[in-house]
Amino acid sequence: MDKIIPETLKKVVEEISNLPGYGEKSAQRLAVNVLSMPRGEALNLIKIFMEMLEKVHPCKECGIYTEEEICPVCSDEERDRSSICVVEESFDAFAIERTRKYRGLYHVIGGRLSPLEEITAEDLNIESLIRRVEKYPVKEVILATNPTVEGEATASYIYNLLKNKGITISRIAYGLPFGAVLENADDFTLSKALEHKTPI
Ligand SMILES: [Zn+2]
């Protein structure tokens, strides 16, 4: 039965389903969607991916994806350097930026603790956060990981590492339903969540 599936298609599905968030079914769907696109469009898509891989990388300071060495937030002199907002992924920071309610800096940890997916603290950019807090005159860290079981666990892990460093640690408030994902929240909800952040 397996012989009927073309080798390259099998390989692509296998590779995609290795990505977090993709199961076999969604990997198959993506592969088939690309295959059924007009050739020119599909090749263009791949070209855009190549360009992204060439140009986009994490900011050296905060980890936000950027085409510069230092991202526009970190290089903006007007930003409040005493505040760091910790997010799971770049798109969470982009969502918060959209609200225009936050004027501090970010730190992207690149995921969340997940025993199920075997993601431990060493896999995340947590050490670099601690280094930043120790090196710069940071007064406040806002933990804006997602309101999921894993996001909460990650926030409390970071809280424990920072609690004796003499800074204010806040958790973003959630009008967001538990289990919601930050990057999908509308601007109003996200603004409120930022406004009503509470010190832990
Ligand atoms: Zn940056």
Side-chain angles (χ1 to χ4, degrees):
M1 168 64 196
D2 240 21
K3 280 199 186 108
I4 201 174
I5 308 173
E7 269 311 307
T8 42
L9 179 55
K10 219 192 289 179
K11 234 189 265 173
V12 166
V13 170
E14 220 177 270
E15 288 293 327
I16 300 172
S17 51
N18 282 338
L19 297 173
Y22 281 87
E24 205 183 335
K25 281 274 167 259
S26 46
Q28 286 171 358
R29 208 175 319 123
L30 179 54
V32 165
N33 281 344
V34 173
L35 273 179
S36 58
M37 283 168 83
R39 267 309 111 102
E41 274 179 38
L43 289 173
N44 196 37
L45 179 66
I46 287 162
K47 221 173 78 194
I48 294 168
F49 264 90
M50 306 258 290
E51 205 180 319
M52 176 183 77
L53 286 174
E54 249 167 57
K55 292 187 178 164
V56 180
H57 49 254
C59 166
K60 273 193 170 166
E61 284 290 320
C62 71
I64 283 181
Y65 282 126
T66 175
E67 292 188 357
E68 322 295 328
E69 196 175 5
I70 303 291
C71 77
V73 174
C74 288
S75 52
D76 184 347
E77 295 291 326
E78 311 265 278
R79 304 290 296 219
D80 174 6
R81 282 164 200 281
S82 71
S83 172
I84 294 182
C85 180
V86 177
V87 291
E88 292 181 20
E89 302 290 355
S90 288
F91 276 94
D92 300 329
F94 301 154
I96 293 173
E97 276 303 282
R98 253 196 345 251
T99 69
R100 297 170 185 276
K101 285 276 152 62
Y102 179 66
R103 294 300 300 158
L105 305 177
Y106 292 96
H107 192 90
V108 179
I109 55 173
R112 66 258 170 288
L113 297 173
S114 169
L116 223 61
E117 291 170 59
E118 293 178 6
I119 299 170
T120 64
E122 287 80 60
D123 300 312
L124 304 175
N125 304 320
I126 293 178
E127 254 188 62
S128 54
L129 169 68
I130 310 298
R131 274 203 306 273
R132 274 178 93 191
V133 169
E134 286 170 348
K135 191 170 158 198
Y136 299 105
V138 176
K139 291 195 194 114
E140 180 187 36
V141 169
I142 303 163
L143 300 171
T145 50
N146 286 313
T148 57
V149 175
E150 292 167 339
E152 292 299 340
T154 309
S156 71
Y157 179 85
I158 296 172
Y159 169 76
N160 280 317
L161 292 175
L162 293 176
K163 67 179 174 193
N164 295 325
K165 303 228 180 266
I167 51 172
T168 305
I169 308 168
S170 319
R171 180 81 173 110
I172 194 170
Y174 285 105
L176 305 169
F178 190 78
V181 177
L182 218 72
E183 62 169 286
N184 295 333
D186 64 86
D187 291 0
F188 179 77
T189 311
L190 208 46
S191 298
K192 286 283 158 225
L194 272 168
E195 247 168 65
H196 299 291
K197 66 180 157 55
T198 43
I200 306 174

